[in-house]
Amino acid sequence: MIKPLSTCLLAITISLLPLPASADPDSEAKGLAIAKEMKARDRGWGNSQSQMTMTLRTKGGDEVVREMRTKALEVTGDGDKALTIFDTPLDVKGTTFLSFSHTEGDDDQWIYLPAVKRVKRIASRNKSGPFLGSEFAFEDLSSFEVEKYQFDFQREETINGLPGAVIVMDPVDKYSGYTKIIAWVDTAHYRPHKLEFYDRRDTLLKTLTISDYKQYKNKYWRASTQVMVNHKTGKSTDILLKNIEFDVGLSDADFNENRLNRAR
């Protein structure tokens, strides 16, 4: 969910215990309503581009820093398209990742690896794997689509001084690496601030905190900082977005899997 995954880190009471799923129709309806409002408030942004710094950090504190550019295109009636181009360091320079999210069915994802000069399609059953050694999985890079989850409202909670809610998102895709994702969402602007990812054993695998929100076009919120911590390995990945621009003239032609080796 890197959108472009919009968001802000806060002072939240962190519970590391999985929350029980509920079969209460009222809580399911309330969770779904929050998810739909999140999506509704982010419709109409069109196209955008930004620069990104990704920092991979080991448990011992060693770091590798990568510089990238991202381009994104909103698709009416379906999920979004996103293109990521690696500029540095030299060992990943020229690597290009293309993702087509869908509201129904499997997402389409491809990666161009200049070392072998070939485009590789990411199979659906492999999308839980790590994205180029980071703590983000390929499935984390898809846009947020309501149809991909079942929702359950857990409780109201103050998030960074704003009214908020904690909801559980159960992926409907059988190939997802997660049994559930617990999301902390403010209900002032409907932005996620923290996500906890539970693995197939239903234990806490990763936590994503999202912060430094800024509003664009007087409507759309984007977070500058996202930090993913892997609780199993002690590793983490930071993503810093900068120079975010909207309405930059992107079209479908800029998101073509057959031209990934020539993406600029």
Side-chain angles (χ1 to χ4, degrees):
M1 290 181 182
I2 291 180
K3 180 172 189 172
L5 280 178
S6 38
T7 10
C8 145
L9 169 60
L10 0 141
I12 316 173
T13 301
I14 300 178
S15 170
L16 297 182
L17 295 176
L19 299 177
S22 168
D24 181 351
D26 290 340
S27 65
E28 291 177 358
K30 194 170 182 179
L32 177 60
I34 291 171
K36 286 184 173 179
E37 187 64 23
M38 289 171 61
K39 190 65 181 178
R41 294 195 179 206
D42 200 47
R43 286 199 180 97
W45 53 270
N47 61 86
S48 67
Q49 65 183 19
S50 62
Q51 294 176 305
M52 177 191 298
T53 300
M54 172 185 280
T55 302
L56 313 182
R57 188 174 297 106
T58 67
K59 185 177 181 179
D62 294 331
E63 294 184 351
V64 173
V65 178
R66 297 169 172 171
E67 298 292 339
M68 299 172 282
R69 289 167 286 135
T70 65
K71 300 179 180 181
L73 179 71
E74 184 178 27
V75 179
T76 302
D78 200 0
D80 302 333
K81 297 182 178 182
L83 178 67
T84 303
I85 304 167
F86 287 71
D87 291 324
T88 63
L90 192 58
D91 63 333
V92 294
K93 180 179 174 59
T95 300
T96 310
F97 175 69
L98 179 64
S99 177
F100 292 177
S101 300
H102 300 298
T103 55
E104 296 182 3
D106 297 332
D107 294 341
D108 294 306
Q109 294 181 325
W110 302 266
I111 189 166
Y112 172 70
L113 301 170
V116 294
K117 297 182 179 179
R118 63 182 286 257
V119 176
K120 177 183 177 182
R121 187 183 184 95
I122 309 300
S124 297
R125 62 180 66 248
N126 295 331
K127 67 181 183 180
S128 61
F131 174 65
L132 288 179
S134 75
E135 300 314 308
F136 288 86
F138 284 100
E139 67 177 292
D140 300 336
L141 307 181
S142 297
S143 61
F144 172 69
E145 305 300 335
V146 174
E147 294 83 356
K148 290 185 174 183
Y149 302 93
Q150 293 179 326
F151 298 91
D152 190 61
F153 171 82
Q154 293 293 309
R155 62 180 181 271
E156 295 179 347
E157 188 170 302
T158 300
I159 302 175
N160 206 24
L162 298 172
V166 180
I167 61 174
V168 175
M169 305 161 52
D170 294 327
V172 299
D173 187 342
K174 64 180 180 181
Y175 293 123
S176 174
Y178 310 122
T179 51
K180 65 172 174 279
I181 301 168
I182 302 177
W184 278 255
V185 180
D186 79 63
T187 50
H189 303 292
Y190 287 85
R191 306 168 302 186
H193 294 257
K194 186 177 76 166
L195 303 174
E196 289 183 346
F197 299 84
Y198 288 78
D199 63 17
R200 301 303 300 177
R201 296 182 177 178
D202 206 26
T203 60
L204 180 61
L205 174 62
K206 302 184 296 188
T207 298
L208 176 67
T209 53
I210 311 167
S211 61
D212 301 329
Y213 273 107
K214 183 178 178 182
Q215 192 176 40
Y216 295 83
K217 300 177 70 174
N218 295 317
K219 181 176 181 181
Y220 306 108
W221 293 93
R222 295 292 181 267
S224 297
T225 306
Q226 299 185 36
V227 179
M228 182 76 89
V229 176
N230 188 317
H231 301 289
K232 304 289 185 182
T233 65
K235 297 179 179 178
S236 63
T237 298
D238 300 352
I239 288 181
L240 301 178
L241 284 177
K242 56 188 178 183
N243 300 326
I244 302 173
E245 299 177 278
F246 287 81
D247 302 326
V248 290
L250 299 176
S251 68
D252 275 326
D254 296 294
F255 301 82
N256 187 327
E257 68 273 23
N258 296 317
R259 295 206 294 266
L260 281 185
N261 60 334
R262 300 192 296 274
R264 296 290 184 270

